[in-house]
């Protein structure tokens, strides 16, 4: 293919891409920036980017890393990949993933520096929201735990561990039937099937605390995919009605230690 045609194809690709594409001389002077990159750094016209130094679009601390560490690495090894923050002309810091690499001629002589930039602002927002949610769950005053398809624990927050008296390692090796005599391994598959159909369910369960002096040494078997989450609160009620629809448990007089709300997750 003719080199001019190759260049035209690349330019059309870059112009239409949502990724930022930039090319600079080896001294860092920008000679090309596609529309996505110009928008990313807050420039209304790409002409405003040309002739500027690459480093002018980075915050001060990142600029030092770029000049003193990253660019020397690129010139020595040929490429660099990682997360870096851009700074728009309006002063907004934009988290990005950048691939910086050398463009060389046929003899291997370096000619230009190129950069492919991915804006990860939305991903970072989602990660922060997820981190906040996880922190809230971990530190909730409500007992929260998750179980997999086979009924084994895959997560328990600190309050659940305190309430049940087990360490996290102990509980994550256990089946729900180990703490709930009514939710046996035989009953669990039907309950799981009901949860998958209903998505969320409220039911009454009995949870036994770890006996004092009991030491667990168990190996948890491998399980399938899927999980459900559970949260519950203390209750002083006593259960005198069928539990889980099982007539065999009707009229059994036992303390109801917990009331539980379950939700199925794909």
């Amino acid at each position: 293919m003719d080199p001019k045609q190759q260049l035209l194809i690349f330019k059309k690709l870059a112009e239409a891409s949502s990724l930022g594409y930039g090319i600079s001389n080896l001294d860092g002077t920008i000679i090309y920036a596609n529309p996505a990159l110009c928008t990313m750094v807050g420039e209304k016209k790409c002409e405003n980017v040309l002739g500027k130094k690459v480093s002018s679009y980075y915050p001060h601390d990142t600029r030092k890393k770029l000049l003193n560490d990253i660019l020397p690495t690129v010139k020595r090894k040929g490429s660099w990949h990682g997360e870096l923050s851009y700074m728009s002309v309006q002063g907004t810091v934009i988290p990005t993933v950048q691939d910086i690499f050398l463009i060389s001629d046929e003899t291997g002589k370096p000619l230009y520096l190129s950069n492919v930039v991915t804006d990860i602002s939305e991903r970072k927002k989602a990660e922060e929201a997820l981190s906040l949610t996880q922190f809230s769950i971990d530190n909730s005053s409500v007992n929260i735990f998750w179980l997999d398809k086979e009924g084994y624990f895959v997560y328990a927050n600190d309050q659940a561990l305190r309430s049940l008296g087990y360490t996290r390692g102990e509980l994550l090796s256990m089946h729900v039937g180990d703490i709930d005599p009514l939710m046996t391994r035989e009953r669990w598959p039907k309950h799981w099937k009901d949860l998958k159909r209903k998505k969320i369910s409220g039911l009454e369960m009995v949870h036994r605390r770890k006996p004092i002096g009991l030491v667990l040494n168990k190996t948890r078997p491998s399980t399938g995919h899927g999980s459900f989450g559970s949260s519950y609160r203390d209750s002083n009620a006593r259960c005198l009605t069928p539990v889980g629809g099982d007539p065999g448990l009707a009229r059994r007089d036992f303390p109801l230690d917990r009331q539980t709300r379950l939700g199925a997750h794909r």
Side-chain angles (χ1 to χ4, degrees), residues 5 16 42 44 63 76 97 100 105 118 126 134 139 155 169 192 201 218-219 235 241-242 247:
Q5 188 176 2
K44 294 182 179 179
R63 188 182 309 160
R76 187 174 67 255
V97 171
I100 305 174
D105 64 15
T118 304
Q134 187 64 54
N139 295 277
Y155 170 81
W192 174 266
S201 175
K218 301 177 65 176
T219 301
S235 173
T241 57

Side-chain angles (χ1 to χ4, degrees), residues 33 44 46 84 93:
K44 294 182 179 179
C46 284
L84 283 177
V93 176

Side-chain angles (χ1 to χ4, degrees), residues 234-252:
D234 291 343
S235 173
N236 295 320
R238 299 180 72 82
C239 181
L240 298 176
T241 57
V243 177
D246 189 342
L249 296 176
R251 303 300 301 171
R252 288 186 58 183

Side-chain angles (χ1 to χ4, degrees), residues 176-250:
V176 64
D178 294 330
I179 68 163
D180 185 353
L182 304 181
M183 189 56 70
T184 63
R185 285 168 172 77
E186 293 73 26
R187 289 170 54 86
W188 176 258
K190 179 180 182 301
H191 182 63
W192 174 266
K193 185 177 181 180
D194 290 342
L195 273 174
K196 294 292 285 185
R197 178 171 52 85
K198 297 178 181 178
K199 305 300 181 187
I200 191 166
S201 175
L203 72 158
E204 296 176 344
M205 302 177 72
V206 175
H207 286 168
R208 296 181 298 198
R209 285 181 54 82
K210 176 182 176 180
I212 297 175
L214 177 64
V215 177
L216 295 182
N217 184 14
K218 301 177 65 176
T219 301
R220 178 185 161 192
S222 61
T223 60
H225 297 291
S227 65
F228 79 75
S230 171
S231 64
Y232 57 82
R233 59 186 175 83
D234 291 343
S235 173
N236 295 320
R238 299 180 72 82
C239 181
L240 298 176
T241 57
V243 177
D246 189 342
L249 296 176

Side-chain angles (χ1 to χ4, degrees), residues 148-163:
D148 66 14
K149 182 179 179 180
E150 307 299 328
Y152 286 91
F153 290 94
V154 295
Y155 170 81
N157 71 348
D158 292 341
Q159 176 59 27
L161 297 175
R162 286 191 294 268
S163 176

